[in-house]
């Protein structure tokens, strides 16, 4: 090879590098395979940002620097790889709000436990009890991989304009409902909020202690927040409507009638169940498990096991709701995981207690990736139902239960199931608000 040819080739190699950009088939309609000449390792600073400079900078390839895609990088070139990796992961993965830690926050609680009398049941307002330590109120949850915005009630109601938020579940679901009512009103008396329980059939029946639920409407934003009691999330039908002591048919494969009737009105539905799935509750409520309209017998030994019956019910209701979502595009469904109990040295009826008042004695951080409630996690997997995972984070807060405190002058039995309000359920709602 002649010397002149060799010099020419070296000059071309030094001056120009050729890159062929070829995109997958699904991008070929908008991005054509292009030949771009680039001077190696050359760039320029513009507005304190680093911009790659090419011979085609004036006429960039579509999608790379035109009005649809900004080619400026808000980081120096030596940090390019780490920043791109971080940005792409945050955009492509959904935040795991259940993984994080509790941190002290002097701005808490979000409302007054003694002031939110309009919405908060007296039995759960620990500020009205004999309890004297309220340090449990002064913590917030910080997810590890993402920021959770502070709850701002006016902004929340603005986002929820013309929407209905429905909680359906047991008494822990009722606590979450009352928590959200206190959060949305700032714990202040709000005479403008309308009681519209009648619109959902939520009125106290003759002789009943309370209605089956409550529904309230914020007129300025036309936002409705409601709760319906359904401890098992199955359809309960009296076998004899004329007999108050009759057994109740518990249809494991059928959602509650209330949910079926009003689903088209809901925009956000939050479900929970768990603590009524035991022999004592079944006997006390006179529940008789049924599938396909028939009571279970010895031929259904698998489902006669209450644990299996619960799993079956959760999968059944998730499957049904997943089939309904395409019919109601604005509907978002969240299944809240199990709220943990903290009875020690016994159960609720055998001397169990939860006397600890010091926050986070068992640690402050949740590092596991999976849910602490594998039943709910399994049921929603592969569906359009989202998980509201609160089990592990709540498990670290044993000091936040009602414990032995009550509004009565004498100490009550230990309640290591329900939470003081303000308290842990407020965090559940903060995560819900972030997810929606």
């Amino acid at each position: 090879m002649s010397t002149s040819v060799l010099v020419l080739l070296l000059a071309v190699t030094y001056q120009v590098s050729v890159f062929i950009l070829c995109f997958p088939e699904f991008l070929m309609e908008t991005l054509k395979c292009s030949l771009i000449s680039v001077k190696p390792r050359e760039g320029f600073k513009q507005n304190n940002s680093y911009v790659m400079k090419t011979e085609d900078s004036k006429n960039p390839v579509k999608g790379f620097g035109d009005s649809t895609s900004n080619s400026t990088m808000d980081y120096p070139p030596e940090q390019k790889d780490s920043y791109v990796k971080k940005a792409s992961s945050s955009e492509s993965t959904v935040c795991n709000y259940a993984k994080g830690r509790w941190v002290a926050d002097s701005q808490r609680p979000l409302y007054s436990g003694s002031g939110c009398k309009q919405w908060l049941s007296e039995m759960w307002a620990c500020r009205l009890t004999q309890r004297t330590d309220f340090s449990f109120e002064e913590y917030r949850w910080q997810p590890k991989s993402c920021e959770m915005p502070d709850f701002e009630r006016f902004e929340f109601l603005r986002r929820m304009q013309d929407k209905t938020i429905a909680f359906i579940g047991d008494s822990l679901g009722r606590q979450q409902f009352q928590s959200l009512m206190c959060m949305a009103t700032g714990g202040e008396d709000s005479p403008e909020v309308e009681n519209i329980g009648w619109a959902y059939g939520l009125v106290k029946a003759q002789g009943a202690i309370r209605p089956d639920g409550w529904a309230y409407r914020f007129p300025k934003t036309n936002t409705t927040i409601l709760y319906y009691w359904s401890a098992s999330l199955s359809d309960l039908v009296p076998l004899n409507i004329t007999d108050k002591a009759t057994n109740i048919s518990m249809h494991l494969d059928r959602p509650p009638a209330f949910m079926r009737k009003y689903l088209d009105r809901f925009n956000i539905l939050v479900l929970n169940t768990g603590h009524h799935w035991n022999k004592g509750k079944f006997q006390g409520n006179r529940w008789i498990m049924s599938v396909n309209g028939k009571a279970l017998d010895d031929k259904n030994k698998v489902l006669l096991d209450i644990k299996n019956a619960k799993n079956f019910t959760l999968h059944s209701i998730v499957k049904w709701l997943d089939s309904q979502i395409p019919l109601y595009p604005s509907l978002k469904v969240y299944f809240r995981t199990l709220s943990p109990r903290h009875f020690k040295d016994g159960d609720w009826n055998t001397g169990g207690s939860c006397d600890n008042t010091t926050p986070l004695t068992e640690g402050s951080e949740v590092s596991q990736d999976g849910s602490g409630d594998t039943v709910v996690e399994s049921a929603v997997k592969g569906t359009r139902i989202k998980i509201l995972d609160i089990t592990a984070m709540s498990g670290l807060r044993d000091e936040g239960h009602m414990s032995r405190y009550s509004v009565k002058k004498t100490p009550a039995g230990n309640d290591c199931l329900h939470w003081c309000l303000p308290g842990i359920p407020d965090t559940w709602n903060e995560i819900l608000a972030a997810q929606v």
Side-chain angles (χ1 to χ4, degrees):
M1 182 181 293
S2 67
T3 303
S4 59
V5 173
L6 182 59
V7 170
L8 178 60
L9 286 175
L10 289 173
V12 171
T13 304
Y14 178 78
Q15 289 293 326
V16 180
S17 296
V18 178
F19 297 88
I20 297 177
L21 305 178
C22 292
F23 299 89
E25 264 184 40
F26 70 92
L27 288 176
M28 289 302 290
E29 288 184 7
T30 55
L31 298 174
K32 303 302 181 183
C33 194
S34 305
L35 187 68
I36 302 178
S37 298
V38 183
K39 290 185 179 181
R41 307 186 69 84
E42 185 176 343
F44 61 92
K45 291 271 186 171
Q46 179 177 301
N47 297 329
N48 294 321
S49 298
Y50 190 81
V51 182
M52 291 303 296
K53 180 173 140 183
T54 75
E55 292 181 7
D56 285 355
S57 290
K58 294 182 181 178
N59 298 293
V61 178
K62 186 175 181 180
F64 288 84
D66 63 356
S67 59
T68 61
S69 178
N70 191 345
S71 63
T72 7
M73 305 174 192
D74 295 326
Y75 40 80
E78 63 271 15
Q79 293 179 330
K80 173 184 173 183
D81 290 341
S82 62
Y83 274 77
V84 169
K85 193 176 293 183
K86 181 177 180 180
S88 62
S89 64
S90 64
E91 290 172 4
S92 60
T93 57
V94 177
C95 176
N96 183 359
Y97 289 100
K99 190 175 181 180
R101 61 192 178 96
W102 291 102
V103 296
D105 187 346
S106 60
Q107 300 302 310
R108 301 304 169 107
L110 298 173
Y111 55 89
S112 166
S114 56
C116 192
K117 296 178 180 178
Q118 189 174 356
W119 319 110
L120 181 54
S121 293
E122 194 176 60
M123 61 182 174
W124 294 329
C126 282
R127 287 278 180 174
L128 303 181
T129 70
Q130 310 98 336
R131 184 165 184 159
T132 57
D133 181 277
F134 302 99
S135 57
F136 68 91
E137 295 180 345
E138 299 174 353
Y139 289 84
R140 64 177 173 83
W141 181 251
Q142 176 60 60
K144 181 178 181 179
S145 58
C146 52
E147 290 295 325
M148 188 164 71
D150 292 336
F151 183 89
E152 204 290 309
R153 60 187 177 114
F154 297 111
E155 171 62 17
F156 174 75
L157 289 172
R158 186 195 64 78
R159 288 199 294 123
M160 296 298 107
Q161 185 161 357
D162 299 323
K163 289 180 170 55
T164 295
I165 305 168
F167 294 93
I168 298 181
D170 57 24
S171 55
L172 278 302
R174 183 182 169 196
Q175 283 208 302
Q176 189 175 1
F177 158 73
Q178 291 191 1
S179 161
L180 188 58
M181 287 300 300
C182 288
M183 290 168 66
T185 59
E188 301 171 358
D189 285 343
S190 306
E192 75 281 0
V193 176
E194 303 167 355
N195 183 346
I196 58 168
W198 56 269
Y200 293 88
L202 301 176
V203 292
K204 190 172 84 168
Q206 186 175 3
I209 299 176
R210 64 180 71 90
D212 288 333
W214 295 264
Y216 298 101
R217 175 179 171 270
F218 292 75
K220 288 185 179 179
T221 57
N222 190 32
T223 303
T224 297
I225 303 176
L226 69 84
Y227 163 78
Y228 178 75
W229 185 89
S230 177
S232 66
L233 294 181
S234 55
D235 198 23
L236 302 178
V237 181
L239 293 177
N240 182 355
I241 60 173
T242 62
D243 181 8
K244 291 184 178 180
T246 186
N247 287 334
I248 308 295
S249 184
M250 181 185 187
H251 296 276
L252 306 180
D253 55 348
R254 210 160 71 194
F258 178 87
M259 187 187 302
R260 302 197 309 271
K261 183 175 183 179
Y262 296 109
L263 186 67
D264 64 323
R265 297 191 192 181
F266 303 157
N267 299 101
I268 297 166
L269 173 60
V270 184
L271 308 172
N272 91 283
T273 186
H275 292 294
H276 281 69
W277 291 90
N278 60 73
K279 189 175 180 179
K281 290 293 185 181
F282 273 52
Q283 292 177 342
N285 291 317
R286 305 185 304 280
W287 288 344
I288 306 297
M289 293 188 289
S290 301
V291 173
N292 292 326
K294 296 180 180 179
L296 298 180
D297 53 28
D298 289 340
K299 297 178 182 178
N300 309 101
K301 289 184 179 180
V302 173
L303 283 183
L304 284 174
D305 183 303
I306 292 179
K307 179 181 177 181
N308 293 335
K310 174 191 171 186
N311 293 358
F312 175 82
T313 300
L314 265 63
H315 280 80
S316 294
I317 194 170
V318 165
K319 183 178 179 181
W320 180 78
L321 283 167
D322 194 46
S323 73
Q324 297 299 301
I325 288 179
L327 305 177
Y328 309 108
S330 66
L331 175 63
K332 294 181 179 180
V333 182
Y334 298 85
F335 212 125
R336 180 174 61 70
T337 60
L338 190 69
S339 174
R341 298 155 26 113
H342 286 96
F343 288 98
K344 292 184 178 180
D345 301 322
D347 211 327
W348 67 275
N349 57 349
T350 57
S353 62
C354 47
D355 293 330
N356 174 47
T357 58
T358 304
L360 306 173
T361 56
E362 299 297 324
S364 62
E365 185 172 0
V366 174
S367 57
Q368 66 193 47
D369 291 316
S371 173
D373 186 342
T374 56
V375 177
V376 170
E377 184 178 45
S378 172
V380 303
K381 186 177 182 179
T383 72
R384 282 160 286 209
I385 314 304
K386 296 177 174 59
I387 189 170
L388 181 56
D389 191 0
I390 57 85
T391 303
M393 68 176 71
S394 303
L396 297 172
R397 302 303 306 277
D398 63 304
E399 87 287 1
H401 287 293
M402 292 299 303
S403 187
R404 65 180 183 273
Y405 305 104
S406 75
V407 293
K408 299 177 182 179
K409 293 182 179 180
T410 55
N414 279 277
D415 184 352
C416 306
L417 171 64
H418 298 98
W419 303 93
C420 290
L421 290 174
I424 310 308
D426 302 335
T427 297
W428 306 348
N429 283 322
E430 288 184 276
I431 295 174
L432 174 66
Q435 286 188 264
V436 300

